[in-house]
Amino acid sequence: MKIIFAAALLWASSLSAQETAEAEQFYDAESKSGEELKAKVGDKDDPWLERPCELGVPLFGELARRLPENPFFIRGELLSGAFCDDVEGEYEAGLVKLKQLENHWPENDFSNLGFYFAFRSNDATEYLSRLRALDDKQLSEFDPERFWQGARMINTQGASDAFDDLMLEWIDSRRLSILPADLQGGVSRNALEAAIRQGRTDMAPQLLATIRYPSTYVDLLASRKYEPVWPLVAERAGPHLDRITDEYAFWALGRLENHSEDRDRFSDAAHALHFAGRFEEAIALAQQWREREGAMESIEEGDGWALNIEAYANDALGRRKKADAIFDQLAELDPEEHPWVVNFVINRASRLVGQERWEEGLEAAGLARTVAAKWGSPYARMIVARDHVCALMALGRSDEIAPDLAYLRENAAEFYPLAAQALQCAGAPGEATALLLEGIRDERYRAGVVSALQPSAFDLFYTPSQLPEQRDLLDTSAELRAAFERYARLVPEEFIPTASIRAKR
């Protein structure tokens, strides 16, 4: 399978071009000789990928005009045009050019670009069509992060049933084993929803067998969508989720043993031990990595997540200063070199604010805001805004919260519970309740609201927070409680995770 080399560089190229677009002049291709134009195509000091609008489009456009019989230059004209559309935010136009490339050169694989433009265009139909067209090899190599990014877009566009149906089709056609291992459980979970809707509850045991992620079982036990299979889910989860957390730890540790150099598997194993309440083991695993020579100099994102878990495990054991030191070390990483550090500077700030360490938390949230402004998603920036609101209110600086509340209100649909929690901190429980009602009544956002309304003891990841809990609003609003009970239930206490029971709160 041939892959156009430029596809792998799309993310970086668009950012670089955006930063320099206004400062650069368009390349004067018409005045150049044919040899000069051809040499410019391979100019490593001034690659056209970094300037698709100013250099790529005029360069390949002129070459295609002079040498229309040369397919390489025609492809270059379309590809640079698509990249330029990306820079200018014209994603639908980029998708049109991409389809021209696919129609004229079907021997090349442009699928990465296709999924990218379908996602950026919010075109759920196109994205689903491309998922259906994947062959086994492409399916086996699909990046999980991009897969779920697309799934979230499809859900936001109101096409989640079609997505779930496709997942069940993959199960029926025995394609589950082809998928990357860390996609299989999620695909089975979505297929389970389709199976229940289609009256095929007999599929539940088969599908649950491949759903290992413990937090998923909290969601399954809460949502009434899964009520027909609650007994099977409960049996698989076990009291206090012990059965599923133990299985997940066994699975994750086994995968790490088979490929000890894989940093994502390392991260998964640390998470699994933490979820099972095996805090000392989670810390020991992370420290094995720390003991490697030059560990921090060669740190990868998976290592960062394992250190994040080490910090949370220390919190669970009451070792706050050790947890502080780990997060402080992560916060020293250069985001230009490690853009994924945005996750950890945000988690650091949220942890401090949640522990009511207001001054420290506000300072940490300031750093998180700086990093998230460039590297964070709207959801990430919402977390930072929530932390600012809650810290500022606690410090008696309510006159400073208006910009953050405005951002949270404007982006509430990204995650209603975050906006609601900030409003609780701001002393506006009525508006917080109204937002949660808006979210829970919309199927696209319901799952997130239902999860947030569960007791905090069911959160397997974060350090416990002292901020107002959204579920407190269930006791003050009969309307919210009625809406919640229509779609969900509070997960029975018998499933409170062992990790929460063991943690020092």
Side-chain angles (χ1 to χ4, degrees):
M1 176 176 62
K2 299 178 181 178
I3 300 177
I4 296 298
F5 72 97
L9 300 175
L10 178 61
W11 301 95
S13 67
S14 63
L15 177 61
S16 176
Q18 284 175 321
E19 292 175 339
T20 60
E22 292 183 0
E24 299 290 349
Q25 294 182 348
F26 281 83
Y27 181 67
D28 184 10
E30 294 183 8
S31 68
K32 308 298 183 183
S33 69
E35 291 305 313
E36 288 176 311
L37 292 174
K38 292 177 184 177
K40 193 64 178 174
V41 170
D43 187 349
K44 294 181 180 180
D45 295 326
D46 186 18
W48 66 267
L49 276 169
E50 293 189 2
R51 298 196 294 135
C53 298
E54 301 81 5
L55 175 56
V57 169
L59 173 61
F60 283 107
E62 184 64 18
L63 282 166
R65 186 185 68 80
R66 296 186 193 184
L67 300 167
E69 74 286 352
N70 190 319
F72 177 81
F73 298 134
I74 304 298
R75 286 199 297 267
E77 181 181 26
L78 287 168
L79 195 59
S80 61
F83 279 25
C84 182
D85 289 332
D86 172 41
V87 170
E88 296 179 345
E90 299 292 338
Y91 305 118
E92 293 84 357
L95 186 57
V96 170
K97 292 183 180 67
L98 190 279
K99 288 183 177 181
Q100 289 179 276
L101 283 163
E102 292 176 318
N103 289 335
H104 290 295
W105 291 280
E107 70 275 13
N108 293 122
D109 180 11
F110 297 96
S111 58
N112 282 340
L113 280 174
F115 281 112
Y116 173 81
F117 279 117
F119 169 73
R120 295 307 295 263
S121 302
N122 290 316
D123 192 335
T125 300
E126 178 70 22
Y127 205 99
L128 284 165
S129 176
R130 289 180 175 276
L131 284 176
R132 290 190 182 93
L134 291 173
D135 61 32
D136 287 353
K137 188 173 190 304
Q138 291 170 316
L139 197 60
S140 70
E141 297 171 349
F142 206 105
D143 177 62
E145 185 175 349
R146 179 166 289 189
F147 184 87
W148 294 119
Q149 186 182 53
R152 287 190 292 272
M153 180 274 290
I154 291 168
N155 176 66
T156 302
Q157 296 303 308
S160 59
D161 283 357
F163 179 81
D164 296 340
D165 289 343
L166 177 59
M167 300 302 99
L168 186 56
E169 288 175 24
W170 284 356
I171 301 290
D172 287 336
S173 59
R174 302 182 185 278
R175 301 190 79 190
L176 184 66
S177 61
I178 297 169
L179 288 161
D182 43 4
L183 268 181
Q184 293 176 9
V187 166
S188 292
R189 185 255 178 86
N190 286 84
L192 176 62
E193 190 162 325
I196 293 171
R197 177 165 36 81
Q198 296 175 20
R200 299 176 60 188
T201 55
D202 59 303
M203 292 282 293
Q206 172 190 342
L207 295 171
L208 289 170
T210 54
I211 301 175
R212 299 183 180 89
Y213 199 68
S215 292
T216 300
Y217 282 81
V218 178
D219 298 334
L220 296 178
L221 288 164
S223 174
R224 294 197 183 278
K225 281 185 178 181
Y226 305 100
E227 189 168 2
V229 296
W230 273 347
L232 293 171
V233 175
E235 181 181 359
R236 177 111 169 91
H240 304 296
L241 302 187
D242 283 345
R243 188 170 296 132
I244 197 62
T245 53
D246 287 347
E247 179 181 317
Y248 183 60
F250 180 80
W251 177 80
L253 289 167
R255 291 182 76 233
L256 178 61
E257 185 176 350
N258 290 335
H259 293 281
S260 59
E261 75 289 347
D262 189 312
R263 309 326 294 153
D264 290 332
R265 295 190 183 195
F266 171 60
S267 170
D268 290 343
H271 280 76
L273 291 169
H274 183 73
F275 294 161
R278 295 159 62 177
F279 304 125
E280 293 282 11
E281 291 178 71
I283 292 168
L285 180 64
Q287 288 180 338
Q288 286 178 20
W289 173 82
R290 282 175 172 279
E291 292 168 359
R292 296 184 178 188
E293 185 176 352
M296 289 303 294
E297 287 74 19
S298 60
I299 189 170
E300 298 178 12
E301 185 174 3
D303 304 318
W305 282 114
L307 293 182
N308 192 132
I309 283 295
E310 182 187 359
Y312 286 162
N314 273 296
D315 270 337
L317 295 170
R319 303 168 185 169
R320 180 176 286 186
K321 288 185 178 180
K322 288 188 176 182
D324 287 350
I326 294 166
F327 270 118
D328 290 346
Q329 188 175 24
L330 285 169
E332 292 173 358
L333 294 172
D334 183 357
E336 293 292 334
E337 185 179 353
H338 308 291
W340 41 260
V341 79
V342 65
N343 298 296
F344 308 118
V345 294
I346 289 175
N347 285 351
R348 173 175 175 258
S350 293
R351 169 180 172 270
L352 292 170
V353 172
Q355 291 176 346
E356 298 181 320
R357 297 158 68 180
W358 307 118
E359 293 283 3
E360 294 174 84
L362 189 59
E363 182 180 353
L367 172 62
R369 168 163 288 163
T370 300
V371 178
K374 184 171 184 179
W375 305 108
S377 64
Y379 171 73
R381 292 191 283 272
M382 284 183 73
I383 299 175
V384 175
R386 185 274 315 272
D387 291 340
H388 271 90
V389 169
C390 293
L392 287 168
M393 286 296 299
L395 292 169
R397 295 162 58 180
S398 59
D399 57 322
E400 300 177 41
I401 68 173
D404 288 301
L405 282 183
Y407 184 81
L408 287 159
R409 289 177 176 124
E410 180 182 353
N411 294 277
E414 287 287 335
F415 196 63
Y416 282 98
L418 273 175
Q421 191 173 39
L423 287 163
Q424 287 177 275
C425 286
E431 187 180 354
T433 299
L435 276 183
L436 292 176
L437 278 166
E438 183 179 321
I440 205 168
R441 287 168 176 163
D442 190 323
E443 187 176 6
R444 297 173 298 172
Y445 310 113
R446 185 175 301 141
V449 177
V450 166
S451 178
L453 290 172
Q454 297 298 323
S456 60
F458 286 101
D459 187 342
L460 283 162
F461 182 65
Y462 292 103
T463 290
S465 171
Q466 301 304 311
L467 296 183
E469 290 190 33
Q470 295 92 334
R471 79 174 289 258
D472 295 340
L473 299 172
L474 290 174
D475 297 327
T476 60
S477 171
E479 188 177 10
L480 179 60
R481 178 167 286 278
F484 174 78
E485 291 179 349
R486 177 181 178 186
Y487 300 112
R489 65 170 178 174
L490 292 174
V491 177
E493 291 184 358
E494 68 190 84
F495 297 105
I496 290 176
T498 293
S500 292
I501 296 170
R502 290 177 180 170
K504 295 183 179 180
R505 291 176 176 264

